[in-house]
Amino acid sequence: MMSPALFISLVVGWMVLAAMALLATDGPKSLRGLLAVLLLGLCAVGCQSAHPMAQALMLACPALALCVRVFMPEATAHDEGRMAGPEPFILSAGATLAMACGRCDLLVMFIGLGLGLHLVLGRQGDWTALRVGLGGLVMAQGGLFVLQAGWGARQEQAGAVLLAGGLLLACGVLSGKRQPLGGQMALLATMPVLAQAAIMSPALRAALTFLGCVCLLWSLLPRSRAHADGMDWSGWVVLAAGLPPATASVPLAACLLALACGGGVRCMAGPCSLLWPPFLPGVALALMLLAEMGAMPGVALLAGACLWPVFTTTAHGATEPAPVARARAAVALVLGCMVLALALHGGMVLA
Amino acid sequence: MLVLLLGMMVIVSLSGSGGRGGGLAWHAGLAAACVWLWQWGQGSVGLSCLLAVAQAGLVGLLGLQMLYGQAGPRERSGLRLAGGLVCVAVLAQVIVPGMPGGMTARLMGLAGLSAILCGVWGACIARAAAALCAGLACGLDGVMLLAGLANNPQVMTETLVAVAALNLMLLRAARSGGAAP
């Protein structure tokens, strides 16, 4: 995907940056911000060979997530967990490298490295993270071997299911609790690589679509909706990675950007709002729904129906009574469905 | 033919490996022998065999820790149940024809896959730290088998590092008094 000189410069820059981040642990915030911006610039240099804008955006997403993370206000960062330490830096750099190489086995290696760092530097004895992370990685590696062995169509389907399910398990999707940033960075790195691998094997695409639907339905559960404020973007990202390769890149980039920016309602209200493009969630959702409408209308209808609780809870947070909010959400949903049906009927769906 | 028999023994031994910690070492030794025989049959004995033997040693160390460690019989029985279930599924798969690549490679691949599924399943239903580590080590053994089949030293080294890390974690947990997950 990229030339060797660029790749080597990216590797050297990553090593220097990781060493500096290690030295600057508990350092002032400005220094850490400078390091994060440096990594973003490095990625921008590395992404020059990716011609379409959407691909470059996809490649730069982990560095962008690092910037959002570092510049987050102190109170929010304290809520989310630990702030200091080189761990986010190394996770983000590993994600960038895995995407630059575009190989699933390197991806497995980098996620494993991040898991080891989490176990060493973070909370000691986090057995749940070990169970979910290492189990998922083992499953993913096994599925990758089955995919590469070329044993036949049915075995390839089994390998695709193992690979996609294992990687999602290792990323902490469907784990029921709100993900730490490490999980989000792993998801940011995983999805573009999986979307590239889905070009090779169509079985992976079906598995990704199915798992994305499962993620969307999972986010509807009242237990997981109680302590997640705002939208859960992981299901949308997985669904976007399962699109046909011609239409996948733009919606996937938009959803990844929304995932990197945090996606919470709380984030929009605070001083973080400068980092939050106001139109981004709507644009990402519309792109995603249009592309899915062209590929699989049934899945698109299911995904649109999954937006209903988000509408109602967002309006309910304001000073409106509940029936009015529900009626307004219903009208918005019907209008959206009408627009989508018109677009599908008129052939305006993305080619 | 010998590899075939060994692969069969790996599958069967999965169902009996839950009783004591020594079963894990037995399983690891069988997997290493399987990789070694496969390489020998291909005519190239090299780095992969060394890595497989090292992996067997580390997994055996884990089994020893488990033997002298803190796991009760309730925690050990999960692996056995999952092994039995997967064994039936795998035997059903072997009967279904239509996979190229020869009977030996096919059985070795299926043995690796069943070890992976069984190990991860056992780790998912485990309650104690020792059972969790044992399940994950079983899955890593399966990855090692598949990597030996594909002749991929990089992945074999990764599994080696992962098993060593598991050893360290279990040792630390045993010293600090056995924290439950």
Side-chain angles (χ1 to χ4, degrees):
Chain A
M1 177 180 270
M2 55 200 304
S3 67
L6 271 178
F7 178 65
I8 290 171
S9 71
L10 199 59
V11 171
V12 172
W14 168 55
M15 289 170 71
V16 170
L17 208 60
M20 283 175 70
L22 207 61
L23 290 179
T25 307
D26 293 332
K29 197 174 173 185
S30 55
L31 180 57
R32 300 172 61 81
L34 183 67
L35 286 179
V37 173
L38 266 181
L39 185 62
L40 188 61
L42 209 62
C43 286
V45 171
C47 291
Q48 272 182 352
S49 60
H51 286 296
M53 187 63 198
Q55 272 193 2
L57 202 59
M58 258 175 13
L59 287 176
C61 263
L64 195 67
L66 179 67
C67 282
V68 172
R69 168 80 173 167
V70 168
F71 286 114
M72 198 178 273
E74 291 293 336
T76 319
H78 189 69
D79 277 354
E80 298 261 328
R82 66 215 173 279
M83 176 68 189
E87 187 189 349
F89 282 89
I90 297 178
L91 268 175
S92 155
T96 311
L97 274 181
M99 277 189 341
C101 299
R103 282 171 52 185
C104 281
D105 50 347
L106 284 182
L107 188 69
V108 169
M109 196 174 84
F110 282 123
I111 295 179
L113 194 66
L115 177 69
L117 275 175
H118 171 71
L119 289 179
V120 170
L121 296 177
R123 285 181 297 151
Q124 303 262 332
D126 189 359
W127 294 104
T128 312
L130 177 72
R131 176 199 317 239
V132 172
L134 194 55
L137 288 183
V138 164
M139 268 172 63
Q141 188 67 56
L144 193 60
F145 277 127
V146 175
L147 266 185
Q148 284 169 348
W151 279 334
R154 275 174 55 195
Q155 282 78 12
E156 189 185 357
Q157 286 169 9
V161 170
L162 274 182
L163 177 63
L167 278 179
L168 286 187
L169 191 66
C171 289
V173 182
L174 292 180
S175 66
K177 56 181 181 180
R178 190 166 175 78
Q179 302 166 19
L181 191 86
Q184 276 194 1
M185 287 228 182
L187 192 64
L188 279 174
T190 303
M191 280 308 131
V193 179
L194 269 185
Q196 282 173 10
I199 299 176
M200 293 295 177
S201 65
L204 199 54
R205 212 181 301 149
L208 280 175
T209 303
F210 177 75
L211 286 174
C213 288
V214 170
C215 285
L216 280 183
L217 288 179
W218 181 271
S219 69
L220 287 187
L221 287 183
R223 185 170 56 86
S224 64
R225 213 154 34 92
H227 48 80
D229 24 37
M231 280 188 63
D232 187 12
W233 279 95
S234 51
W236 292 93
V237 171
V238 177
L239 206 58
L243 284 173
T247 58
S249 65
V250 179
L252 183 56
C255 286
L256 280 177
L257 199 60
L259 182 71
C261 286
V265 177
R266 187 181 52 183
C267 222
M268 285 206 295
C272 198
S273 59
L274 284 181
L275 291 173
W276 180 260
F279 310 116
L280 184 60
V283 170
L285 282 181
L287 279 175
M288 179 62 222
L289 280 177
L290 271 178
E292 193 66 54
M293 203 75 183
M296 258 183 243
V299 176
L301 284 182
L302 176 67
C306 286
L307 282 176
W308 161 261
V310 179
F311 278 156
T312 53
T313 49
T314 307
H316 190 62
T319 56
E320 250 171 336
V324 180
R326 285 208 185 121
R328 177 174 293 186
V331 170
L333 205 59
V334 167
L335 278 179
C337 285
M338 270 177 56
V339 170
L340 277 182
L342 281 178
L344 186 69
H345 184 69
M348 287 191 299
V349 175
L350 298 176
Chain B
M1 187 63 199
L2 203 52
V3 182
L4 203 72
L5 285 175
L6 269 178
M8 200 64 223
M9 277 180 75
V10 171
I11 292 181
V12 171
S13 74
L14 275 177
S15 59
S17 71
R20 305 186 65 177
L24 203 57
W26 164 246
H27 173 229
L30 275 183
C34 207
V35 169
W36 183 70
L37 278 173
W38 168 258
Q39 297 279 332
W40 187 53
Q42 300 281 312
S44 63
V45 179
L47 183 61
S48 311
C49 305
L50 206 63
L51 290 176
V53 170
Q55 162 107 358
L58 281 178
V59 174
L61 194 62
L62 197 69
L64 274 184
Q65 281 200 45
M66 203 175 153
L67 191 61
Y68 292 112
Q70 61 275 60
R74 163 74 182 81
E75 277 78 27
R76 285 177 190 150
S77 62
L79 206 58
R80 190 180 339 186
L81 170 71
L85 286 179
V86 178
C87 189
V88 173
V90 164
L91 283 181
Q93 271 285 324
V94 171
I95 295 167
V96 174
M99 203 159 77
M103 192 68 185
T104 311
R106 178 170 153 185
L107 194 58
M108 199 161 150
L110 284 174
L113 266 187
S114 70
I116 286 173
L117 285 181
C118 169
V120 173
W121 175 254
C124 281
I125 61 173
R127 292 261 175 93
L132 175 62
C133 286
L136 287 178
C138 185
L140 284 172
D141 241 4
V143 172
M144 167 65 92
L145 256 182
L146 285 179
L149 184 63
N151 209 355
N152 191 343
Q154 179 209 339
V155 178
M156 295 174 98
T157 318
E158 283 172 27
T159 59
L160 211 60
V161 172
V163 173
L166 276 184
N167 263 316
L168 282 182
M169 284 194 72
L170 193 56
L171 191 64
R172 194 199 278 161
R175 277 196 183 151
S176 70

